Amino acid sequence: MMNSTSASPAEPTISVSGDGTDARRNSKRPKYSRFTQQELPACKPILTPQWVISIFTLVGIIFVPIGVAALLASNDVVEIVDRYETECIPKNISDKIGYIQNPAISKKCTRVLKVPKDMDKPVYVYYQLDNFYQNHRRYVKSRNDQQLRDKSKANETSGCDPEKTTANGMPIVPCGLIAWSLFNDTYNFTHSNGETLTVNKKDISWKSDRNHKFGSDVFPKNFQNGTLKGGKTLDPTVPLSKQEDLIVWMRTAALPTFRKLYGRIEVDLKENDTITVELENNYNTYSFGGKKKLVLSTTSWLGGKNDFLGIAYISIGGVCFFLATLFTIVYLVKPRKLGDPSYLSWNSNRLMQ
Amino acid sequence: MTPERPLLHSPQIEAKFSPLLQSCSGKGFSVRDKDLSLLHIGDSGDSDVTSITEQFHSADSHFFDQIVLECSPQESSHLVSWNAMERQQIPSSLEISSSVEGLEKGSKSHRIRHKSVQFDDLFPSEDNTRLIYINDPRKTNEKYEFSGNEIRTSKYTFITFLPKNLFIQFHRVAYLYFLAIAGLNQLPPLAVFGRTVSLFPLLFVLCVTAMKDGYEDWRRHRSDRNENSRDAQVYQFGQFRIKKWKNIHAGEVVKIFCDETIPCDMVLLGTSDPNGVAFVQTMNLDGESNLKTRYARLETTPMCAEVGSYSGIIRCEQPNKNIYEFTANMEYNGHKISLGPSNIILRGCQVKNTTWIIGVVVYAGQETKAMLNSAISPSKRSKLESYMNRETLWLSIFLFAMCAVVALGMGLWLKDHEPQLDSLPYYRRRYITNGRENGKYFKFYGIPMEIFFSFLSSVIVFQIMIPISLYITMELVRLGQSYFMIEDAQMYDGNSGSRFQCRSLNINEDLGQIRYIFSDKTGTLTENKMEFQRASVYGRDYGTSLKGTGNLMMGERSSDVLRHKKWKLKSEINLDTELVELLHGDVPGMERTAAREFFLTLAACNTVIPITSSLSSNSVDLACDEDVSIEYQGESPDEQALVAAASAYGFTLIERTTGHIVIDVNGEMLRLDVLGLHEFDSVRKRMSVVIRFPDNAIKVLVKGADTSVLSILNHQIDNGSCETESARIKNMTENHLNNYSLQGLRTLVVAARDLSGAELEEWQAKYEEASTSLTERANKLRQAAALIECQLNLLGATGIEDKLQEGVPETIESLRQAGIKVWVLTGDKQETAISIALSCRLLTDDMHQIIINGTSEEDCRLLLANAKAKHGVKPLIYTEGSKKLKEGEFIGSMEKVVGSGNPSLALIIDGNSLVYILEKELEPDLFELATSCRVVLCCRVAPLQKAGIVDLIKSRSNDMTLAIGDGANDVSMIQMADVGVGICGQEGRQAVMASDFAMGQFRFLKRLLLVHGHWNYQRVGYLVLYNFYRNAVFVLMLFWYILQTAFSTTSALTDWSSVFYSVIYTSVPTIVVGILDKDLSHKTLLLYPKLYCSGHRHESYNLHLFWITMLDTLWQSLVLFYVPFFAYRYSTIDIWSLGSLWTIAVVVLVNIHLAMDIRRWVLITHLATWGSIVVACLCMVALDSIPSFPNYWTIYHLISSRTYWLAILLITVLALLPRFACKVIWQTFWPSDIQIAREAAIMGKFPNSFGLKLEQDVR
């Protein structure tokens, strides 16, 4: 623009003589390089029939075996699911919420489970909650990670609303709705042969959580002191890093139906064994119509029992095989020569005329 | 030298002329100025519009009164002719400009209006002047109203940078959206994201832009500082002392030495040349590299002789932008001296070939014309971007709908669970604890408010549905594309050393959809390097048999004929031997006299400056026997060619000052006093010079466009035989003229007359008065010129060849094959235009030419109707309302018309007819006719008519227009068209300054459009669709999840992942692909220009594609959400793990989606695509390694889980399967042209039949 006057002294002799500017002109010529001329070596893939067919076939070849393997793995998993929140309440009680909230009443309940197939150890014990929105925004945010990790940050309760401090303003450790609503049903298993099946509750949480997120010198304080108890009370002498139920619970679930690990039974269970479960039905899911289930499950290399992946993989593999055949037929029956100019719009237009 | 004379004021003639002249000056002049003296001699080939039949039938009337008497009977005819001219020339432009204002909204109308404002203040009223007291800056600037010479091109200072830069940045709507979202997120009930995180994208964008702006401004600061602290010699305390530029003030006297730059606008007081001549180079101002002469008034030169005697008062107009105009006068020693544009030197010019100059500062600093002109041309917006905005609107509707669903769901859920809200462990409406807040609601404001907040917070979560990053991405992509266009070695013009320039960064993709090219002729199609080819002297045609070069001829000639020293010319000129014989032979006679006068006129009647190899022109006389090389510097290439030709024939112009010229006639120095010079203007279309010979004979020498000169010839001579003789000459000359223009030569007519003493006196009085006048000087000068430019004796005519530029016919052919219509808009004559069109194969012999030369509206209507009826042009059903919808159909019908079997039509229309047609009710007819013709030639169009024609297409169709030109007269058209291309030519830089792209040669247009335009369009089209997809798929995924969280707008993804998604995880590949992907090689594209039509068919971006993309997006988002959902339905998966899975999955998915569509894999593409996935994973790892985040260590757990990997693989394959299958099916059954060409090119088979078929198709 006009304000380029500042650049002017650099070009004193442009007009008078045509010569002498050649060097300068040459410097203006764009330097040739394959990059600037956009001529870098390149791979230019085109979808030839061979490529298309082989891609589909390849996907099929990979997917079907994976699907079969996943399905087999899922079938190997033995799972016992027992819904108990309806059974473990006296039939004559109409005010279920009042019943469950009354600490004076014993909530003991006995369930008998039959083992359908051999279950190799370890047998994982889960509780499953339905219709419990642990992923609700109000809930997910109601915690303070600093407080959990660091002893000195005990007063740090921001974000813990509406369960932040006690009535007299003392900070609650661990604060927040998540901790407050800690699941408090307990299970005790007895084998049909009279043996007590010990549930190993150690290492049920993530190691990283135990070591870094929950401090080993942070102890529960003022927890569940209020009139309204949300769930389990914590032993104030045990540091948070050892409160594995809490740690598991505080890794909030992604979906409204979720399982949480309760413990492991490190004994092989045989087919047709019966297991008696002595449980305490303390946790209030009646206020929102949530289901409670007790789950005993083995695992496979793919995790728990879930046919979805297997079926999905097999069907996609199948579809790909189908498409591969379809395109093979198409290319055999009605091949289009690649780069055939007669398909060009201006050529075909002319043909139409 | 103009002798002082008492002013002979004549109220009578004034009264008679002024209404006429004023009526045209008010309007007509505005045309000229608007185009900044564009209609130079350069365009003087055209003319006949000004049929000013001014004939003063008083050949022997020596008395002023008699002239008046003689003239009066003619008054009616004057009136008619002036009016006619007015109608033909001026209103047209005015109407166009007004219509432009009416039609175009927004910036464009603003632009035009701005222009007219600029020209309105050309004529300052007498009281609106500024007074400069020479050498008295304090008195000059008593009221402190004039600025100092300090310039500031920088926008910001250190303090104002932040607020001002932010203010400017927030002019973008997108940023405001950002800000609003970030602001919403600060409200406690809505804090979806962490508060700092939500500010990140905005801060990022602001910082990047601010850094860019800051850097640019710092560079401006630096250059300003350099500029301001340069030194100049300023007269102070009785001598010239060094002073910094920034301290110079108006009124000060400054001395500048050779090769120095002028610090401010100065009126010349004196120079080292005794005649007060100074040469300046105006390269920085207008880009013209030739030297211009500026004169100090001879009255003031003595001032400089004795130091310290600077005095006087200059009265000048207020600062304005027009660098070609300056009106002022000076009072000095009781004289009133007029000052014009030739007396001022402007800031930024350089002094050349002059030892020193002394001048007085009139405008300084920001008020200098250079600074006033430094406005940036308004930016254009690409059409694709406006389509994109339409789709963005759709996206906002989706956004709104999604938010509404969430809000509604939230409402219903709350209503449903209202009794339980206090007891739900995951909701807890009230505070639990017994403290102060006991029993109060926690973040609960009642169901209606909750619905409202839920809506707003979902807006925050879904914000990237509107792809704001797209705007930044597009800017970066265009920047990269521009880089490659600039670097393209095949668009470098070696002759002029000019690279391709991208002056506008917003419209790269428009280059791929051009349907109409409006091209200027002179300098664009032709080289504008003039060569004197033919001459008609005294009714005889010369130049048919050219032999040898001029210098060779000189050598061969016997020494007695051309015994003078040889003047070396820069260019060599072919001489006609016959003419040489005639000139230098011994045969006396009328013919020889005429021939001599002819060349004398060519040598004298111009504004060309001779520059001899020796610095001082005086020394030329001494250097008799040496070869002295001489170069002519002039503003018009035609004039240069003519002067050079005259020199070759022995009439060498060797010196020019204001007062006299020296011509070497065969070695004999002829010193001629120049009494007055009427410069060329577009109304008169001729220039004249009044000279006094050494023997005191006085002559008027005139040259000009044929019609303007032929109509003022003297053909009423008493002697009968003479009359027949002059009539014969006139006839012959006219024949020759026709002949020349048929050959595509530019013609000028040369005439002269003797001036009697009385005529001279009358004219001198008038001239004197006019040239000192401060207002309407041009007008008054024109009146003065009219006095002497009459009763001329015809001497002859010249034919100058304007060579076609290299590769023009081939380029036009290719462009035509590409489905682009090339229209030529020229100021030249119809015959010239047609001949040029023929020679550049725009017109072919088998074309049917429809010529429309109407002289009235009725005429034009009839001609148009006839043409339409004859060639069966059906009116296109095409209304404003259905414009957009019928786009496709419309294009189809157009093609049918064009491609149908009827003979190709060519429409040739002239500026006169356009006056009656444009912006009148005939416009639709013209549009229909013109669009059904293969070629349209518009001749003799005024600059604003050019814009009007562009507007005709722009306003009535959706087609993209491109205007290409090199001169100032093309500026309006370049600015009007969707894409303006400037040719860096010889006619200055206005066109380049106004253009969006500038290049050295017309033929680069082929590469620009067919190759770069095609690429850019494909790239940007895909880029936009992909960006829509990329953001929408992410948002939809979040949406499906929110439906699973009791509508509580929870995001499973961490805040940082959401922010990084469009900024880091997926942005780089889009940019790289947008810059580097190529569907076809440039060879293929150039070989098959028809591939360009894909842009016309909107193949890369249209509503259809948008909806398909959105459908695909929907499917992919469903896959993204539901595969993990089912895979982890009854599991212990936590929210962060699932979020992490989704993050990785969506990043992998969109990048592979992109990879699937990349058509050219270079190393960088690989790096960008796969690198992005890697970077995303690394970021996830890094984010999950910070213990304070709730998602701590998530990724480490996940990577050991097989389900996780299987889910990602499943998502990727399942999501892309439909797209891939559709793509394959589409390519198999309905291959596009591009695909076929691509296959052919890659598989290495360019079958001969392929090419042959194309060739046949072209025929």
Side-chain angles (χ1 to χ4, degrees), chain B residues 383 387 878 883-884 887 890 953 956-960:
Chain B
K383 202 151 232 170
Y387 289 142
Y878 184 57
K883 199 186 217 173
K884 291 245 157 74
E887 197 175 289
F890 177 66
I953 296 298
R956 283 171 191 278
S957 74
N958 251 331
D959 296 331
M960 300 289 283

Side-chain angles (χ1 to χ4, degrees), chain A residues 40-171:
Chain A
L40 288 175
C43 162
K44 303 166 197 161
I46 44 171
L47 287 173
T48 59
Q50 293 87 335
W51 269 108
V52 171
I53 293 164
S54 23
I55 285 172
F56 279 126
T57 317
L58 189 72
V59 172
I61 288 173
I62 293 172
F63 267 51
V64 171
I66 292 178
V68 170
L71 208 53
L72 287 177
S74 173
N75 283 339
D76 280 348
V77 172
V78 185
E79 200 178 71
I80 305 166
V81 180
D82 180 55
R83 178 178 174 187
Y84 61 88
E85 102 280 356
T86 41
E87 312 294 326
C88 285
I89 197 159
K91 290 278 182 290
N92 52 355
I93 290 209
S94 56
D95 181 13
K96 292 176 182 169
I97 300 171
Y99 166 81
I100 202 86
Q101 282 179 342
N102 187 349
I105 305 170
S106 166
K107 313 278 179 6
K108 283 214 161 43
C109 172
T110 309
R111 304 287 298 162
V112 178
L113 307 174
K114 192 160 178 273
V115 178
K117 265 191 211 168
D118 286 355
M119 293 171 92
D120 297 334
K121 65 179 179 185
V123 176
Y124 290 90
V125 180
Y126 302 96
Y127 53 91
Q128 176 176 330
L129 292 178
D130 272 29
N131 203 17
F132 189 104
Y133 286 91
Q134 255 206 331
N135 57 13
H136 198 284
R137 185 153 65 91
R138 286 173 77 99
Y139 190 78
V140 170
K141 291 196 178 298
S142 188
R143 62 190 285 165
N144 189 308
D145 284 316
Q146 283 174 309
Q147 186 202 41
L148 298 175
R149 193 175 65 241
D150 197 341
K151 190 184 173 185
S152 60
K153 297 269 175 64
N155 291 329
E156 193 72 56
T157 55
S158 66
C160 283
D161 284 323
E163 175 69 9
K164 203 151 84 174
T165 52
T166 59
N168 48 16
M170 295 297 288

Side-chain angles (χ1 to χ4, degrees), chain A residues 2 5 8 12 15 25 28 37-38 43 45 135 137-138 161 165 213 252 254 301 306 313 339 341 345, chain B residues 227 284-285 289 352 433 442 487 492 499 1019 1041 1049-1050 1078 1127 1135 1161 1189 1202 1206 1233 1238-1239:
Chain A
M2 292 283 179
T5 41
S8 58
S15 67
R25 279 180 189 169
K28 261 182 127 181
Q37 303 309 310
Q38 306 193 52
C43 162
N135 57 13
R137 185 153 65 91
R138 286 173 77 99
D161 284 323
T165 52
K213 286 194 75 72
T252 49
W301 59 273
N306 193 338
Y313 266 87
S345 64
Chain B
E227 188 89 337
N284 288 320
L285 216 52
S289 59
K352 294 282 177 191
T433 45
F442 163 68
E487 287 294 323
Y492 169 78
R499 274 186 183 205
R1019 288 164 180 171
Y1041 182 64
T1049 57
T1050 320
K1078 285 191 338 191
I1135 189 164
W1161 284 93
F1189 284 171
R1202 294 172 192 90
L1206 286 184
D1233 293 347
R1238 199 173 127 78
E1239 287 165 359

Side-chain angles (χ1 to χ4, degrees), chain A residues 56-62 64 316-326:
Chain A
F56 279 126
T57 317
L58 189 72
V59 172
I61 288 173
I62 293 172
V64 171
I316 289 175
V319 167
C320 284
F321 277 129
F322 171 73
L323 286 172
T325 357
L326 198 74

Side-chain angles (χ1 to χ4, degrees), chain B residues 686-902:
Chain B
R686 59 181 170 250
M687 78 171 287
S688 59
V689 57
V690 182
I691 53 168
R692 177 159 50 200
F693 283 83
D695 60 355
N696 268 341
I698 291 171
K699 275 197 180 203
V700 187
L701 307 177
V702 183
K703 79 170 192 288
D706 48 5
T707 41
S708 86
V709 178
L710 288 176
S711 58
I712 51 168
L713 289 181
N714 167 28
H715 49 71
Q716 295 228 333
I717 297 171
D718 305 33
N719 191 326
S721 65
C722 269
E723 190 190 351
T724 52
E725 178 66 9
S726 69
R728 185 190 68 80
I729 293 168
K730 193 183 170 198
N731 274 339
M732 292 301 287
T733 312
E734 278 179 38
N735 281 345
H736 294 153
L737 282 172
N738 274 338
N739 220 344
Y740 295 168
S741 50
L742 275 180
Q743 293 168 33
L745 300 180
R746 301 158 72 85
T747 56
L748 282 176
V749 175
V750 179
R753 78 180 269 221
D754 294 315
L755 217 56
S756 66
E759 281 172 314
L760 176 70
E761 273 183 27
E762 189 209 337
W763 167 80
Q764 264 184 331
K766 195 90 185 139
Y767 182 72
E768 211 55 42
E769 190 225 322
S771 49
T772 49
S773 156
L774 204 54
T775 52
E776 302 195 11
R777 180 186 294 169
N779 217 352
K780 289 175 183 166
L781 274 174
R782 213 171 294 147
Q783 292 176 33
L787 281 176
I788 49 163
E789 287 174 355
C790 56
Q791 292 176 292
L792 300 170
N793 295 319
L794 179 66
L795 296 173
T798 58
I800 299 171
E801 189 189 8
D802 191 1
K803 276 188 157 175
L804 271 190
Q805 283 196 359
E806 202 184 322
V808 167
E810 295 81 0
T811 306
I812 288 181
E813 187 56 46
S814 296
L815 292 176
R816 179 184 288 163
Q817 281 184 42
I820 302 171
K821 293 186 176 183
V822 182
W823 291 21
V824 173
L825 315 178
T826 172
D828 270 355
K829 269 197 304 258
Q830 192 161 310
E831 296 75 24
T832 323
I834 290 175
S835 66
I836 291 283
L838 279 169
S839 62
C840 59
R841 276 192 255 154
L842 198 60
L843 278 176
T844 46
D845 291 332
D846 54 343
M847 278 188 174
H848 194 284
Q849 298 181 3
I850 305 169
I851 296 177
I852 294 187
N853 289 343
T855 48
S856 70
E857 196 174 335
E858 214 30 61
D859 238 9
C860 294
R861 189 194 305 278
L862 215 66
L863 283 166
L864 281 176
N866 282 348
K868 279 171 71 179
K870 194 174 168 193
H871 301 290
V873 178
K874 285 172 206 85
L876 300 161
I877 306 145
Y878 184 57
T879 53
E880 284 292 309
S882 62
K883 199 186 217 173
K884 291 245 157 74
L885 292 173
K886 296 210 169 165
E887 197 175 289
E889 273 173 57
F890 177 66
I891 288 162
S893 67
M894 292 274 299
E895 266 169 1
K896 241 171 252 168
V897 174
V898 176
S900 57
N902 64 357

Side-chain angles (χ1 to χ4, degrees), chain A residues 305-334:
Chain A
K305 190 170 188 66
N306 193 338
D307 291 346
F308 171 75
L309 279 180
I311 292 168
Y313 266 87
I314 292 174
S315 30
I316 289 175
V319 167
C320 284
F321 277 129
F322 171 73
L323 286 172
T325 357
L326 198 74
F327 280 107
T328 316
I329 294 167
V330 165
Y331 292 133
L332 287 177
V333 173
K334 195 183 170 241

Side-chain angles (χ1 to χ4, degrees), chain B residues 1066-1184:
Chain B
T1066 57
S1067 61
V1068 179
T1070 59
I1071 294 172
V1072 169
V1073 169
I1075 296 173
L1076 287 177
D1077 199 30
K1078 285 191 338 191
D1079 50 352
L1080 292 165
S1081 72
H1082 64 101
K1083 280 191 201 112
T1084 320
L1085 285 169
L1086 289 176
L1087 202 55
Y1088 308 118
K1090 285 203 169 178
L1091 292 171
Y1092 187 78
C1093 296
S1094 66
H1096 292 157
R1097 289 191 293 263
H1098 301 273
E1099 264 181 27
S1100 293
Y1101 187 85
N1102 52 49
L1103 206 54
H1104 196 62
L1105 272 179
F1106 172 75
W1107 286 112
I1108 290 177
T1109 310
M1110 282 299 122
L1111 217 61
D1112 188 30
T1113 309
L1114 185 68
W1115 162 256
Q1116 296 194 16
S1117 71
L1118 284 171
V1119 170
L1120 262 176
F1121 176 74
Y1122 278 103
V1123 167
F1125 177 78
F1126 285 121
Y1128 287 105
R1129 196 153 37 150
Y1130 302 114
S1131 72
T1132 57
I1133 188 118
D1134 63 283
I1135 189 164
W1136 312 117
S1137 303
L1138 202 60
S1140 165
L1141 168 65
W1142 272 323
T1143 313
I1144 299 285
V1146 75
V1147 169
V1148 170
L1149 176 66
V1150 297
N1151 279 311
I1152 291 187
H1153 175 111
L1154 180 70
M1156 220 166 80
D1157 292 333
I1158 292 178
R1159 284 165 292 198
R1160 179 170 167 269
W1161 284 93
V1162 293
L1163 189 66
I1164 305 165
T1165 331
H1166 281 291
L1167 283 179
T1169 319
W1170 314 126
S1172 279
I1173 296 177
V1174 172
V1175 164
C1177 293
L1178 290 180
C1179 279
M1180 292 299 291
V1181 169
L1183 285 176
D1184 285 356

